């Protein structure tokens, strides 16, 4: 069974540019989460989708971040315009609703560097 | 939200048993205790989850005392490949929210 995949693995952009991260969850997982770790900090929750609906987006830092999950399959996270403090590793995770509570399957992450 | 406290780092030798203890004094009644493992350049990976007493799977054991204010992750006979960061998380169950709260974790280094 394929795991959670994320694209790209690395992205280097300049301040003010736009970047779109993609996450493909495990097939059949209705729950999809985005997290990020900025340098020297803990992994922080960004938002949670159940199918195509945003269940909880309380962790989104500001309106420069836009997440979508059209069709309830893959998800994208767009940062526009990117700022220096957005640099970090962005993780996506998915979870089967009927699975073990709190067992989320994480992707390898996308390392974003904003210059 | 229950805050967790765990050692910043631990060292061990191959073949030893490693116990990592986590404190969570403010754990709520419906909170589960979950442990994740993370290798460099990878996302966290679920290891084990428990509510009370002892839970064991093929990877680890989780010991939870009756007051549930702490928990201990036990890794039997560690190998070099167990070198990773281990996170103790406390959170509710049965909810569609399921957001995870990560702390700093414990960096475990296994030496030959």
């Amino acid at each position: 069974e394929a795991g959670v995949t994320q694209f790209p693995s690395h992205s280097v952009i300049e301040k003010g540019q736009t970047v779109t991260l993609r996450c493909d969850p495990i097939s059949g997982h209705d729950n999809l989460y985005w997290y990020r770790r900025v340098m020297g900090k803990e992994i922080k929750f960004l938002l949670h989708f159940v199918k195509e609906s945003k269940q909880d987006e309380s962790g989104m830092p500001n309106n420069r971040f836009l997440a979508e999950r059209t069709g309830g399959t893959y998800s994208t996270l767009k940062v526009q315009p990117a700022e220096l403090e957005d640099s970090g590793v962005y993780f996506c995770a998915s979870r089967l609703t009927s699975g073990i509570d709190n067992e989320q399957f994480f992707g390898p992450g996308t390392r974003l560097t904003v210059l | 939200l229950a805050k967790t406290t765990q050692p910043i780092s631990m060292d061990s030798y191959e073949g030893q048993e490693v116990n990592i203890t986590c404190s969570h004094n403010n754990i709520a009644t419906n909170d589960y205790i979950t442990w994740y493992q993370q290798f460099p350049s990878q996302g966290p990976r679920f290891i084990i989850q428990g509510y009370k007493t002892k839970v064991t799977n093929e990877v680890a054991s989780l010991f939870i005392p009756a007051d549930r204010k702490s928990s201990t992750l036990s890794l039997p006979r560690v190998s070099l490949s167990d070198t990773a960061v281990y996170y103790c998380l406390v959170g509710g169950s049965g909810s569609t929210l399921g957001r995870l709260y990560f702390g700093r974790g414990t960096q475990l280094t296994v030496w030959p």
Side-chain angles (χ1 to χ4, degrees):
Chain A
E1 177 183 286
V4 176
T5 58
Q6 294 186 243
F7 182 82
S9 57
H10 292 85
S11 180
V12 181
I13 61 174
E14 292 186 341
K15 176 183 173 180
Q17 290 185 322
T18 297
V19 63
T20 300
L21 314 181
R22 172 171 171 144
C23 168
D24 285 80
I26 294 173
S27 178
H29 283 198
D30 287 342
N31 295 278
L32 187 150
Y33 307 82
W34 284 96
Y35 295 83
R36 76 171 179 177
R37 169 189 274 144
V38 295
M39 184 66 71
K41 302 290 187 180
E42 297 113 8
I43 298 171
K44 295 286 190 184
F45 167 86
L46 295 179
L47 90 159
H48 170 208
F49 283 99
V50 176
K51 298 184 180 179
E52 67 276 6
S53 299
K54 292 177 183 175
Q55 184 75 16
D56 179 1
E57 53 184 328
S58 61
M60 295 287 265
N62 52 61
N63 59 10
R64 295 185 293 103
F65 289 75
L66 175 64
E68 295 180 322
R69 193 183 181 195
T70 306
T73 54
Y74 71 91
S75 174
T76 58
L77 179 64
K78 179 190 288 187
V79 185
Q80 179 183 29
E83 298 290 344
L84 299 179
E85 63 265 24
D86 300 332
S87 294
V89 181
Y90 290 76
F91 294 103
C92 173
S94 70
R95 173 178 171 268
L96 189 61
T97 300
S98 61
I100 297 175
D101 293 336
N102 299 323
E103 181 179 16
Q104 296 180 15
F105 296 83
F106 281 77
T110 292
R111 181 172 296 278
L112 174 65
T113 302
V114 182
L115 302 176
Chain B
L1 175 63
K3 177 180 170 62
T4 61
T5 303
Q6 52 183 122
I8 294 173
S9 65
M10 294 181 69
D11 290 285
S12 179
Y13 291 105
E14 282 189 291
Q16 291 187 330
E17 177 184 75
V18 171
N19 295 307
I20 305 175
T21 297
C22 177
S23 297
H24 27 79
N25 292 316
N26 297 322
I27 189 169
T29 302
N30 64 343
D31 282 345
Y32 273 61
I33 299 156
T34 311
W35 286 79
Y36 275 76
Q37 173 192 57
Q38 187 178 24
F39 298 111
S41 300
Q42 294 187 25
R45 183 177 75 102
F46 173 92
I47 301 176
I48 197 167
Q49 175 176 282
Y51 183 79
K52 61 181 178 180
T53 64
K54 176 184 174 182
V55 180
T56 297
N57 61 23
E58 65 277 5
V59 177
S61 294
L62 179 59
F63 298 91
I64 305 170
D67 66 6
R68 305 199 328 120
K69 294 185 183 297
S70 67
S71 60
T72 299
L73 175 73
S74 181
L75 304 172
R77 298 179 299 280
V78 294
S79 64
L80 298 178
S81 61
D82 292 315
T83 294
V85 178
Y86 292 82
Y87 297 97
C88 166
L89 295 84
V90 172
S93 69
S95 167
T96 56
L97 293 179
R99 53 189 291 183
L100 301 177
Y101 296 91
F102 288 87
R104 296 278 184 168
T106 297
Q107 171 66 58
L108 172 65
T109 302
V110 180
W111 301 93

